[in-house]
Amino acid sequence: MSSSVIRTTRPLSILSDFVVEELPIVLNEIDSDKAQISLIRTTEKLTKIIENQAISDNVLSLLDLTFLEAAFYANDLEIPESLISLTDTYANHFCVLPMLTYELIVLVNPSQDLRLFSSQETGEHEKLFYESHKSVEAKLSPLINFLLEISREKKFDQKILRQLRTLLPNMKAAVEQMLGLISRMSAPEYSIFRRYFTKHPTRGFPGASGAYSALFPTLDQLLRVEIAEVRFKEELLPQTEVTGMTNIAMYEKAKKWRILNGQTMISKLKNSNEPLKEDFVEVLNEILNAMANFRKKHLCAVAKHIPQVFEGKKTGTGGVKNAPDFLKEAINQTKNSKIL
């Protein structure tokens, strides 16, 4: 890797180097006293060096710090005070919560210099997990942003219809991406690195979870009448607390539009006299079908990779207590929102 890339992707110099290059190796042996002592001493040494440096404006710095915190609490190790203090400083700098989020670990985590908790074969599965979710985000964002754009239009014309049809395959590609992840990722390997996504034991914040991606909640706001997933997000963690670190701007736009208009795009279309109404109904129904299929595949992934969560014996990393029922409700409500 070129030195220019490293300068961009490792804002905390030697601490970033440690997180990227050495932490996965240390964590592979974390059950040993030697590895635990090494992690503690190295972290204390590096944080003391970094706290005397100017604060970096690169958000990757917060990823490195929260990533390192997760290495401690996921292995029942006490987090060094110097690390807690440094994480607080950087979280305040970026005006966000001091927590490892889905957005940090998936969207901010650079593909050319990934932060991983595991190495060797497990590391390959962890990389697949992050990159698959990153790909889903990249595929769906253009479609969602276009839906946000046209939600303000008074009339839907032929040009808008053509663009929607052009973007529809993005939704179906996201479903295929989820299918690929299910088939390729090993459940035992997933269980090894999933523990790092759990709830922070002292700060009390939920773990890094796809529940905090803005994509599907935004689609829910725009297209659906019943919005279980949005309700869940709002009850669990107020969106304003993570604003600036995520794609939450698109969600806030959709929410504001729905509140101002008192309806979703589908209810708006139902009540319209659009000459292309049937064509738009067809396209929006296809989007809802793909959304339901994605959620079905996600439920299948939960059943395969985390059966204890699927059976209701454990909570999801996002904090939901009955993940299967919640996911099934989201599937059913997506289906029920179709225009018949």
Side-chain angles (χ1 to χ4, degrees):
M1 185 181 301
S2 70
S3 59
S4 61
V5 170
I6 289 178
R7 282 197 300 273
T8 302
T9 62
R10 302 192 186 177
L12 296 182
S13 58
I14 55 176
L15 189 145
S16 294
D17 290 342
F18 173 72
V19 169
V20 176
E21 298 172 10
E22 299 179 48
L23 184 60
I25 299 169
V26 173
L27 293 179
N28 191 46
E29 305 292 334
I30 200 62
D31 290 335
S32 72
D33 290 342
K34 182 180 177 181
Q36 292 178 12
I37 292 170
S38 173
L39 177 60
I40 293 167
R41 287 179 177 173
T42 302
T43 299
E44 289 176 339
K45 174 186 173 183
L46 294 176
T47 50
K48 283 181 174 22
I49 293 171
I50 299 302
E51 67 185 8
N52 291 318
Q53 298 179 1
I55 294 179
S56 168
D57 284 326
N58 187 335
V59 74
L60 273 173
S61 55
L62 186 59
L63 170 60
D64 287 335
L65 294 169
T66 54
F67 207 87
L68 195 49
E69 275 202 12
F72 280 88
Y73 64 74
N75 289 296
D76 297 319
L77 299 175
E78 186 176 349
I79 307 168
E81 285 298 326
S82 57
L83 176 57
I84 293 173
S85 175
L86 202 55
T87 302
D88 284 340
T89 297
Y90 272 81
N92 288 334
H93 178 71
F94 291 109
C95 300
V96 295
L97 295 175
M99 59 186 283
L100 181 63
T101 63
Y102 167 88
E103 289 77 17
L104 279 175
I105 208 168
V106 171
L107 299 179
V108 174
N109 204 354
S111 298
Q112 72 273 35
D113 204 22
L114 271 177
R115 277 67 171 156
L116 299 171
F117 289 108
S118 53
S119 58
Q120 302 173 3
E121 183 178 356
T122 305
E124 291 302 311
H125 286 270
E126 186 179 356
K127 180 179 178 181
L128 172 67
F129 182 80
Y130 298 154
E131 292 298 280
S132 295
H133 283 79
K134 193 189 294 281
S135 178
V136 168
E137 297 275 339
K139 287 177 171 64
L140 292 187
S141 292
L143 171 62
I144 295 171
N145 282 320
F146 184 68
L147 286 171
L148 277 170
E149 183 183 329
I150 66 172
S151 67
R152 298 188 294 268
E153 298 292 331
K154 292 185 178 179
K155 297 189 74 68
F156 295 160
D157 58 23
Q158 193 70 46
K159 182 180 178 182
I160 290 175
L161 182 62
R162 281 197 303 270
Q163 184 64 14
L164 262 183
R165 283 174 171 161
T166 299
L167 291 170
L168 182 60
N170 290 34
M171 190 77 225
K172 296 176 180 178
V175 177
E176 292 301 314
Q177 189 74 57
M178 179 58 71
L179 270 174
L181 178 61
I182 294 171
S183 63
R184 294 168 61 194
M185 192 173 71
S186 155
E189 302 293 346
Y190 177 56
S191 67
I192 293 173
F193 62 85
R194 180 183 178 270
R195 71 177 186 269
Y196 295 101
F197 307 154
T198 54
K199 182 178 179 178
H200 199 297
T202 56
R203 296 185 186 277
F205 300 134
S209 171
Y212 296 107
S213 168
L215 297 181
F216 276 80
T218 301
L219 284 168
D220 288 336
Q221 287 281 8
L222 288 170
L223 300 179
R224 295 168 58 204
V225 177
E226 296 295 331
I227 314 173
E229 192 155 351
V230 172
R231 186 178 68 245
F232 162 66
K233 282 173 66 72
E234 291 177 338
E235 289 173 359
L236 192 61
L237 186 69
Q239 297 303 320
T240 53
E241 293 189 298
V242 289
T243 299
M245 285 294 296
T246 71
N247 267 338
I248 215 65
M250 65 166 58
Y251 165 75
E252 293 291 355
K253 285 181 184 177
K255 180 180 177 181
K256 183 177 180 180
W257 177 85
R258 185 178 63 82
I259 291 172
L260 286 174
N261 289 273
Q263 61 183 346
T264 65
M265 286 184 67
I266 284 183
S267 57
K268 175 183 176 181
L269 194 59
K270 278 182 179 179
N271 299 325
S272 75
N273 294 315
E274 293 278 351
L276 297 171
K277 179 175 178 176
E278 290 185 7
D279 295 308
F280 278 100
V281 165
E282 180 184 355
V283 174
L284 293 179
N285 278 345
E286 284 194 62
I287 292 173
L288 285 164
N289 273 333
M291 285 175 65
N293 285 335
F294 185 95
R295 284 177 155 143
K296 285 179 190 174
K297 304 310 176 191
H298 182 221
L299 185 61
C300 290
V302 171
K304 176 183 176 181
H305 296 123
I306 36 177
Q308 287 183 309
V309 173
F310 185 75
E311 292 164 7
K313 297 176 182 177
K314 285 189 175 182
T315 60
T317 53
V320 65
K321 293 178 181 177
N322 194 328
D325 285 354
F326 168 74
L327 294 172
K328 289 172 186 175
E329 182 187 4
I331 292 168
N332 290 333
Q333 289 185 5
T334 305
K335 289 179 181 177
N336 293 338
S337 293
K338 288 176 62 178
I339 305 175
L340 302 177

